[in-house]
Structures are given as C-alpha cells and as structure tokens.
DNA sequence: ATGACCGTCTCAGACGGA
C-alpha cells in the first residue's frame, strides 16, 4: 500500500497540486489536512474524475481533514471526530478502514504559545489520540493494523528542527509535546515510519512561507505517518516530496509518502 | 534578484498558521 499525508493549506487553492500528486504517484490513500473546505464545496467530482473518492470532516473556514482513496478501495466504517478532544467543532480527526488498514488523518492543534489555552487544547488532543489508538489497538476484531497520518505540529526530536536554539521558547519542541508523541506511539504500538528507514537524517516536511525559508533549508519535520509495529518490516519507502513545496501555489508543507508491502 | 508569506472572510484588515 502507498499512503500519502499532506497538509494542503486549503484544498480549494491546492486542488491542481493534489491532482498532480494523484497522477504522478497513483497512491492508494491520501490523508489531507487543513482542507478549509465546507462540505458543499468539497471537490468530490474533480477527485472522481481522477479515479478517487473521499470521506471528509469539515469545520468550514479552518482546519478540516479528509481521507482520499482510489475508487476501487472501499472507505469502510468512517468515523469523524476524536473522543475526548476539547474542541469537537474543529474537524481535526477522521478515520476509515482502507485495504484492511485503519487509516487516520489528523491535524493536531498548533498551540500558538506555550501555556496558552490552545496549548492546553493541543496537549489534551494528543492525550485523546493516545486513548483512541489504544482502544483501536485492543478492540480491532480483525486485528487491523493502524496508520495514523497527519500534521502533528510537534517536531519529535531536535534533529527535526532547523535551529533548536531558535525554538527554545516555542511550541512544537517542548518536553510536554514530545512526551505525548512518545506516549501515542506506546499506546498504539506504533512507530514513526520515516525513522524506520532514515534513523538520523535531518529532513523536513514544513517550511515557513516567509523569508525564503524553504530555499534556505530552514524547516521542521512535523508531518508524520505512525504505523503499527508489525508493518515496520514491510516498509519499502518513506519519502518527502520536496518538489511539491516548489512551483505554482505550493502548500507550506510537502507530501510525505509511505509505501509498504501488503 | 539585497527584499522578504499565504489563505479565509470580507472588501481593509483581522486572524490563523508554526
């Protein structure tokens, strides 16, 4: 299976680049974040013309997540929302079973400032995510493996940050956030798929639009695909498609592609 | 290339993003 996760920063603005990705990679599944797309405006027809269908969780102008799959692959048992999240109107979590894998697309709250109300919401969201993957792990009757993909808004280690000193007082790097990523992995029996094949490399998935950060190599690795441990030996490729951060109307995030043998 | 972001909702400027 080939799975892509991509924070598109508006599906409406990014649709040409999304269709480009579908044509180039022909992925089985694409997890999208920040669709910023009302239900009525969701581009189902354009995706269908490309041979894909989708389930979508919308909050209107902000956030929004979707799971897109090849039309031949059913999107079974879709569930929107995360039990225990403090803001259940923000559309940050969606699940569906695709090809025997329980796939989740998530957009973790940014947190803005350490200690702010939204930072508290971010930590609570990560706690709720850990509880949810623990439940999915234990009650999976058929033992469906998990793929939790999305924009976690946490850089798991200092190597995932272009300048750790510059982030000394920032969100995305605190012990509180990183320990919750570790707890999420533990709760779900998951591994960070990117690190399975590249244990040490400094490679990023997000670069600020401002000040030429992309061209200066100043980014963060905050987009992750977390897979059940039993999938780890089957991983064939986990790569960041940097070219999608270039060209006409790029998102500030690059797609992350994970491929494993079925 | 010596300056410097993008998208949303609304229509000049706020708000969110990380």
């Amino acid at each position: 299976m080939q799975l892509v996760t991509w924070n598109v920063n508006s599906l409406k603005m990014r649709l040409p680049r999304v269709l480009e990705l579908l044509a180039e990679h022909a992925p089985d599944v694409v997890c999208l974040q920040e669709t910023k797309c009302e239900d009525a405006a969701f581009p189902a027809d354009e995706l269908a013309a490309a041979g894909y269908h989708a389930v979508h969780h919308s909050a209107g102008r902000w956030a929004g997540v979707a799971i897109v799959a090849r039309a031949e692959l059913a999107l079974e048992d879709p569930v929107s929302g995360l039990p225990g999240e403090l803001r259940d109107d923000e559309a940050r979590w969606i699940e569906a079973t695709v090809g025997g894998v329980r796939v989740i697309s998530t957009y973790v709250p940014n947190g803005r400032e350490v200690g702010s109300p939204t930072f508290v919401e971010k930590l609570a969201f990560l706690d709720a995510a850990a509880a949810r993957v623990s439940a999915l792990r234990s009650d999976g009757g058929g033992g469906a493996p998990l793929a939790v993909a999305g924009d976690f808004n946490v850089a798991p280690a200092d190597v995932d940050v272009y300048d750790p000193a510059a982030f000394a007082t920032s969100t995305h790097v605190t012990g509180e956030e990183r320990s919750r990523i570790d707890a999420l992995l533990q709760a779900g029996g998951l591994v960070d798929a990117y690190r399975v094949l590249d244990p040490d490399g400094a490679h990023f998935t997000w670069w600020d639009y401002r000040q030429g950060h992309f061209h200066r190599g100043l980014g963060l690795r905050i987009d992750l695909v977390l897979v059940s441990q039993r999938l780890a030996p089957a991983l064939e490729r986990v790569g960041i498609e940097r070219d999608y951060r270039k060209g006409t109307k790029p998102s500030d995030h690059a797609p992350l592609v994970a491929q494993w043998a079925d």
Side-chain angles (χ1 to χ4, degrees):
Chain A
M1 172 175 282
Q2 186 184 63
L3 178 148
V4 180
T5 186
W6 194 9
N7 179 324
V8 290
N9 184 20
S10 168
L11 182 53
K12 178 182 177 183
M13 295 304 297
R14 220 63 60 211
L15 187 59
R17 303 304 300 265
V18 171
L19 296 175
E20 178 188 345
L21 179 91
L22 298 179
E24 181 182 359
H25 291 274
D28 297 301
V29 187
V30 184
C31 296
L32 300 176
Q33 302 87 35
E34 282 205 87
T35 52
K36 299 184 176 179
C37 186
E38 302 277 3
D39 285 333
F42 191 81
D45 292 345
E46 291 87 342
L47 293 173
Y52 286 82
H53 63 148
V55 288
H56 178 225
H57 185 30
S58 169
R61 64 187 292 193
W62 303 121
V65 287
I67 301 173
V68 180
R70 287 196 295 110
E72 300 79 19
L73 289 169
L75 290 157
E76 301 171 280
D77 305 319
V79 171
S80 293
L82 174 62
E85 62 183 331
L86 296 180
R87 300 288 302 271
D88 61 5
D89 58 343
E90 292 193 340
R92 296 179 177 277
W93 183 276
I94 190 168
E95 309 173 1
T97 300
V98 188
V101 177
R102 191 64 176 166
V103 174
I104 293 156
S105 178
T106 186
Y107 174 47
V108 175
N110 173 297
R112 297 183 197 165
E113 304 283 339
V114 175
S116 69
T118 58
F119 188 75
V120 173
E121 289 166 17
K122 179 180 193 175
L123 299 181
F125 188 93
L126 290 167
D127 288 339
R132 179 61 180 159
V133 297
S134 178
L136 288 170
R137 177 189 192 179
S138 57
D139 74 10
L146 302 176
V148 188
D151 175 359
F152 287 78
N153 272 320
V154 180
D158 277 352
V159 71
D160 302 312
V161 181
Y162 69 88
D163 182 359
F167 278 76
T169 62
S170 302
T171 59
H172 295 59
V173 303
T174 66
E176 288 176 291
E177 292 161 280
R178 286 176 171 169
S179 68
R180 280 170 172 82
I181 296 296
D182 292 338
L184 179 62
L185 296 173
Q186 286 292 319
L190 306 169
V191 292
D192 179 347
Y194 187 83
R195 285 299 178 217
V196 173
L197 298 183
D198 183 359
D200 307 311
H203 298 288
F204 308 131
T205 63
W206 171 86
W207 301 262
D208 200 312
Y209 281 124
R210 292 167 287 193
Q211 300 175 305
H213 273 205
F214 176 69
H215 297 288
R216 294 160 61 195
L218 309 179
L220 303 175
R221 190 176 72 89
I222 54 176
D223 299 274
L224 310 174
V225 176
L226 312 180
V227 298
S228 293
Q229 286 166 359
R230 73 184 120 139
L231 290 183
L235 284 167
E236 296 171 336
R237 174 172 182 264
V238 185
I240 299 160
E241 299 296 324
R242 293 180 74 263
D243 286 351
Y244 285 83
R245 183 61 179 76
K246 308 174 186 174
T248 304
K249 288 215 168 285
S251 171
D252 47 353
H253 296 251
L256 177 67
V257 179
Q259 183 166 330
W260 59 86
D262 293 316

